[in-house]
Amino acid sequence: MGPVIICRCEEITDEEIAAAVAEGAASPREVRLRTRAGMGVCGGRTCRHAVARLLAEAGLPEAPGPRWRPPVRPVLLGDLSRRPDGGEGPCA
Amino acid sequence: MRISEHPALGATPAGKAVTFFWRGQPVQGREGEPVGAALLALGVRTLRYSSSGAPRGLYCGIGHCFECRVTIDGVPGLRACLTPLRAGMAVEPEGSPEQEAAAHGG
């Protein structure tokens, strides 16, 4: 069937993740740092469970996954900076 | 194709027909429906190009996966599955196969 894309955002395949594990990656974080799987636009939402599953299937002990960092939902910076009254600029 | 009668959600509220722009061309959609739904009804499934130049479009449809991101009125990275259509919106795909291949070595 060929390599399967695990991280859709960065287009990282199961073969690339297996190579990272062979080089010593032993946790989702290390896989992410070596391959970028989980560092794409979706914030790891799509691939985090698949990456954890691949590591488990490689016989690695369960390790804490990537932490959810604020903002938990994607937000435009312009929306974050808008004042409650709808104006721009710092709140009084 | 649009869903007008959903088995669980019922009838889709009839939105006003509006003109918007896809790749600079005027097209028709229904005000308030997701931009991705309007484009799908027009037969448009490719919404952007990935870093390897592959065509991408709607995947999860619920704002989770970011595969459907398009540029609307100059603002990039907006999810077509969540953004309600408004009259006059100028929607553009992000990237092109050649652009992506050149930028990322194919």
Side-chain angles (χ1 to χ4, degrees):
Chain A
M1 188 173 83
V4 175
I5 291 182
I6 300 295
C7 170
R8 314 186 102 252
C9 294
E10 297 290 322
E11 296 187 278
I12 308 302
T13 65
D14 55 347
E15 291 181 355
E16 292 172 85
I17 292 172
V21 170
E23 287 173 5
S27 68
R29 178 174 173 270
E30 288 166 49
V31 165
R32 185 175 82 246
L33 291 171
R34 283 173 183 270
T35 68
R36 288 197 61 84
M39 278 212 269
V41 168
C42 87
R45 287 169 176 80
T46 306
C47 72
R48 59 170 35 228
H49 296 296
V51 170
R53 173 72 173 268
L54 285 176
L55 293 174
E57 288 179 355
L60 293 163
E62 195 177 327
R67 304 175 62 147
W68 299 108
R69 300 178 193 278
V72 173
R73 296 221 172 271
V75 183
L76 292 176
L77 289 177
D79 291 337
L80 276 179
S81 67
R82 192 164 302 115
R83 293 195 323 227
D85 65 6
E88 303 286 336
C91 295
Chain B
M1 186 200 82
R2 281 187 174 80
I3 295 175
S4 54
E5 191 71 43
H6 190 274
L9 301 174
T12 306
K16 187 176 68 165
V18 292
T19 299
F20 69 106
F21 299 90
W22 169 244
R23 294 173 172 265
Q25 299 302 307
V27 289
Q28 293 286 299
R30 305 261 176 87
E31 184 172 61
E33 70 179 345
V35 170
L39 290 171
L40 192 61
L42 294 166
V44 175
R45 301 188 64 162
T46 297
L47 300 180
R48 68 177 185 90
Y49 294 90
S50 73
S51 56
S52 69
R56 295 289 181 88
L58 291 170
Y59 182 55
C60 78
I62 58 172
H64 199 251
C65 74
F66 279 86
E67 292 289 351
C68 65
R69 56 188 189 270
V70 289
T71 298
I72 301 178
D73 295 338
V75 180
L78 299 178
R79 289 164 285 179
C81 65
L82 292 184
T83 307
L85 183 67
R86 299 283 171 243
M89 271 183 169
V91 188
E92 295 285 332
E94 297 195 352
S96 67
E98 299 76 24
Q99 218 175 327
E100 293 297 347
H104 299 274

